[in-house]
Amino acid sequence: FILIDYIRPFLVRDLGWTLGDTALLYTAQASGVILGSFLTPMLIARLGVRRGLSAASVVLGLGTAASLVTESFWTWAVLRFLVGIALAGAYVASMTMLANSFPARLRGRLLTF
């Protein structure tokens, strides 16, 4: 989300996008986060925490890098959506990994919190 704040003036100035266009990138990413918050726990349960975190990190990196080399609004929107899903995955995986480092009697409370 911060990335779009920093590069928004350049998207408007250099690519001719409107502020409304750039606002839609927030919507695309937020939609990805919402969908990812439902999908990624199941994937991480199947893949494992380390693989899930690694996959989320790769998608975050590649999605951000790909955004930097494209000028198409719709490509940006799709990439921001995928980055949103990966953000949710990284959060779920990292919180699960953190909770697993505590004694079993505390894990449920930590994940609930």
Side-chain angles (χ1 to χ4, degrees):
F1 294 104
I2 293 170
L3 175 70
I4 294 174
D5 284 334
Y6 286 119
I7 62 169
R8 178 181 289 203
F10 301 105
L11 295 173
V12 171
R13 184 190 72 197
D14 297 340
L15 300 180
W17 293 4
T18 66
L19 289 177
D21 291 340
T22 60
L24 285 174
L25 296 177
Y26 277 112
T27 304
Q29 189 164 337
S31 298
V33 169
I34 291 168
L35 181 63
S37 68
F38 292 106
L39 295 178
T40 56
M42 294 178 281
L43 290 173
I44 289 170
R46 290 179 191 224
L47 291 175
V49 175
R50 288 189 176 123
R51 285 184 183 156
L53 187 57
S54 296
S57 298
V58 167
V59 172
L60 284 168
L62 290 177
T64 301
S67 296
L68 298 175
V69 296
T70 186
E71 295 181 6
S72 163
F73 169 78
W74 290 108
T75 304
W76 263 77
V78 168
L79 290 169
R80 291 291 95 195
F81 179 77
L82 293 175
V83 164
I85 292 173
L87 281 170
Y91 180 78
V92 169
S94 60
M95 290 300 106
T96 302
M97 187 180 286
L98 178 67
N100 285 337
S101 66
F102 286 86
R105 63 183 173 79
L106 297 174
R107 290 178 191 159
R109 285 183 244 166
L110 288 168
L111 289 173
T112 300
F113 178 70

